Amino acid sequence: VVPGKLYRGGLPDDANQLKIMKDLFGIERVISLHDDPEVSKMCLRVGLEHIPMIFEDGAPDDEGRKLFGDSVSSILDEKPTYVHCLFGQDRTGGVIARYRTESGWPCQLAYAEAKAYGFQDKFPDMIEWFCEPAEDEPPVNIKRIRRLLKSKEQDLIEPTPNDMPLGNPYNELNMGQYTNWNETVNNINP
């Protein structure tokens, strides 16, 4: 995302991956947006600071907002950081989009970048949260997304791990296109 400063991806497989990121990219801290106690152990093993900040669904809860305060950037700019969730797409995409809007990006551009890395519109609260600092409006009809999600339409099938791209979780070029969700999301905008 920002070379030498901020990286994003999915859940690391083992401590060796974290060691490689530490050695190659100078990572000093890992922020986990996914609840996996093994990450704390892996970070300890390779000498990385670990901050677990669990986002269950959508935007950060009160505890997450306390950690970030009013600014994601204040935490992410302190030292070279790797941010991850399970697949590096939705929660990670939302946090990085928030970082971008706090850095002056319009919400439309932050949203487009998140979508390029697999962000799905199933978290309307996340979209509202990352658009808060931006001066433009959210790029999607959030009310319509909420209605579609509540209707539980059959074509709104969440991807499974088998649908996800393979490869290094910290490789930012590791993007994928998913069936059903992308088609549905593309048809959501008015």
Side-chain angles (χ1 to χ4, degrees):
V1 174
V2 180
K5 186 179 195 176
L6 179 61
Y7 300 88
R8 65 173 290 163
L11 181 68
D13 290 331
D14 56 36
N16 288 334
Q17 284 183 342
L18 291 176
K19 174 102 171 75
I20 290 169
M21 285 190 275
K22 180 180 177 182
D23 294 345
L24 288 178
F25 305 120
I27 299 291
E28 296 177 27
R29 170 192 291 149
V30 174
I31 296 180
S32 296
L33 307 174
H34 175 72
D35 188 16
D36 186 334
E38 289 302 310
V39 177
S40 289
K41 294 174 190 173
M42 290 188 284
C43 287
L44 186 61
R45 221 173 291 140
V46 297
L48 293 170
E49 177 186 358
H50 181 241
I51 300 176
M53 189 171 97
I54 311 310
F55 285 30
E56 288 303 325
D57 293 314
D61 59 12
D62 290 340
E63 200 59 38
R65 286 181 186 263
K66 282 180 195 171
L67 175 66
F68 277 140
D70 291 331
S71 174
V72 168
S73 304
S74 64
I75 296 274
L76 300 182
D77 283 341
E78 286 178 354
K79 57 177 79 172
T81 301
Y82 176 68
V83 178
H84 79 89
C85 58
L86 185 59
F87 298 113
Q89 298 169 331
D90 295 310
R91 290 166 284 184
T92 300
V95 168
I96 299 303
R98 174 73 184 222
Y99 177 82
R100 297 296 199 195
T101 58
E102 287 179 11
S103 300
W105 284 32
C107 186
Q108 302 254 347
L109 185 58
Y111 176 78
E113 180 186 53
K115 294 294 287 180
Y117 288 102
F119 182 83
Q120 302 167 64
D121 287 344
K122 66 181 182 173
F123 299 117
D125 291 345
M126 178 71 83
I127 297 169
E128 287 178 324
W129 176 70
F130 72 64
C131 286
E132 282 175 6
E135 294 183 16
D136 59 332
E137 292 295 316
V140 292
N141 185 332
I142 292 174
K143 288 180 184 175
R144 185 159 183 221
I145 292 170
R146 289 184 203 281
R147 279 195 313 271
L148 284 171
L149 292 172
K150 283 181 184 175
S151 73
K152 298 183 180 177
E153 292 181 3
Q154 289 301 312
D155 60 342
L156 289 176
I157 299 170
E158 186 175 348
T160 65
N162 293 333
D163 298 325
M164 298 297 155
L166 301 174
N168 296 331
Y170 53 86
N171 181 351
E172 292 180 359
L173 299 177
N174 187 12
M175 297 180 273
Q177 297 296 316
Y178 311 110
T179 59
N180 297 340
W181 262 104
N182 278 349
E183 292 171 23
T184 302
V185 166
N186 289 337
N187 293 324
I188 286 175
N189 294 317

